[in-house]
Amino acid sequence: MKPLWNDIPSVARMRATYLRIDRLGTLGRRPVRVHVADAGGVGVEWIGQPDAARDGVILYLHGGGFAVRAAAADRRYCAGLARRTGRPVVSVPYRLAPEFPFPVGLDDCCAAYAGLLGTGIPSHKIVVIGHSAGANLALVLLMRARDNGWPQPAGCILLSAPTDLTAGSASATANAARDSMQGPNIWPWVRMTYLGAVAPDHPDVSPLFGDWTGLAPLHFHVSDSEIVLDDSTRAVECARQAGNRVTLSVWHDVPHSFYYMNALREAWRCRAEVVAFIDRTLRCLVLK
């Protein structure tokens, strides 16, 4: 991935690289079974046992720079979550830029959340997880839900969240050489591909500049070598100042998306923390 960011790659090149890596990751593995169903007009993927939804549902928003999806890797990660938590995962294959620029993908994520609520799943039985670009969308989803008068989910997990698309975080340049997957050119690429004429400091694309009051409990995970490190540390400070419950886990010298990589012990530790947060959050709110 890293050489892609020596310049500003085309979307076609980025997608071809993702697809090649995703296909390599499927070798020798059985495909994950998914059930496609409607949620708020969005065709979401249910992974795991839908009848276990009475114990909680995990709403998963994938990464990929708002323009790409590694579907097989996402499904494997979600299947692992479903097994470890005993709860189904609802993955949202939101529409991608540049064919569907901001705010289409965000609207899909919000519609899927509202759709789950509309089926009778209470908000206190939903945990939202966002990975990379999906973590950006997850934070804006929480802010939009509050503004729309929808109840907050039980909690939200943010994996390597890009919260400031202006590239204003110090780590955006300080970690440019250390980050083994991404480089500074990702910021103009995302702005060109996803934002169009929208200002990069708009709170619906850079939630760091949004209103952080009244959000669900948050748990951020990020590596200290990522260019988005300070996007998480700054977001945590915003959340704390707004009076939200927030936790930050900083992992040492592992790559972006490390939590997908079975060979890394940090991935297994991160997964354990994610499961513990889900169990603790759902159990706490259900008991209330």
Side-chain angles (χ1 to χ4, degrees):
M1 296 296 297
K2 183 75 170 183
L4 285 172
W5 302 114
N6 291 335
D7 53 21
I8 299 180
S10 67
V11 172
R13 184 182 171 201
M14 178 64 68
R15 288 175 175 170
T17 302
Y18 259 69
L19 181 60
R20 184 166 63 251
I21 294 171
D22 205 27
R23 285 175 173 170
L24 286 172
T26 64
L27 295 177
R29 302 173 186 262
R30 293 180 180 179
V32 174
R33 296 179 60 182
V34 302
H35 172 67
V36 178
D38 179 86
V42 179
V44 299
E45 298 178 353
W46 283 78
I47 298 172
Q49 299 298 322
D51 57 359
R54 61 183 179 276
D55 297 321
V57 172
I58 300 162
L59 183 67
Y60 177 81
L61 309 181
H62 69 81
F66 308 97
V68 188
R69 183 191 180 199
D74 286 334
R75 290 168 181 156
R76 286 196 303 274
Y77 183 78
C78 290
L81 272 177
R83 285 194 304 272
R84 295 183 188 95
T85 64
R87 300 175 176 96
V89 178
V90 177
S91 180
V92 183
Y94 55 85
R95 286 171 288 178
L96 301 174
E99 293 86 356
F100 300 98
F102 171 83
V104 176
L106 172 62
D107 290 342
D108 286 348
C109 297
C110 294
Y113 179 67
L116 290 181
L117 296 176
T119 65
I121 299 173
S123 62
H124 67 261
K125 289 191 176 182
I126 302 174
V127 171
V128 179
I129 298 182
H131 161 232
S132 195
N136 173 291
L137 295 170
L139 283 169
V140 182
L141 164 60
L142 264 58
M143 294 175 180
R144 275 198 174 185
R146 178 205 55 219
D147 294 344
N148 289 338
W150 305 342
Q152 289 287 296
C156 184
I157 297 167
L158 297 315
L159 305 174
S160 302
T163 64
D164 179 5
L165 299 192
T166 72
S169 291
S171 59
T173 52
N175 277 352
R178 292 184 66 203
D179 193 317
S180 60
M181 287 186 65
Q182 299 180 325
N185 281 334
I186 195 171
W187 304 110
W189 185 86
V190 167
R191 291 196 290 264
M192 176 181 66
T193 304
Y194 175 57
L195 298 189
V198 178
D201 62 352
H202 191 292
D204 277 0
V205 297
S206 289
L208 186 74
F209 307 118
D211 178 2
W212 285 77
T213 58
L215 302 186
L218 307 169
H219 192 162
F220 287 81
H221 293 264
V222 69
S223 169
D224 63 6
S225 62
E226 291 190 78
I227 59 175
V228 293
L229 168 63
D230 292 336
D231 281 38
S232 285
T233 59
R234 295 167 69 202
V236 167
E237 184 58 31
C238 287
R240 285 175 176 159
Q241 289 181 359
N244 297 307
R245 290 166 51 196
V246 59
T247 305
L248 173 64
S249 294
V250 179
W251 302 88
H252 178 58
D253 200 25
V254 287
H256 185 73
S257 300
F258 74 92
Y259 20 78
Y260 281 60
M261 303 174 186
N262 289 343
L264 296 178
R265 61 184 178 183
E266 291 89 349
W268 294 98
R269 288 167 50 205
C270 179
R271 293 171 190 174
E273 287 196 15
V274 166
V275 170
F277 177 88
I278 293 169
D279 288 343
R280 181 173 63 252
T281 302
L282 291 176
R283 188 180 304 116
C284 175
L285 291 179
V286 168
L287 289 175
K288 287 182 179 178

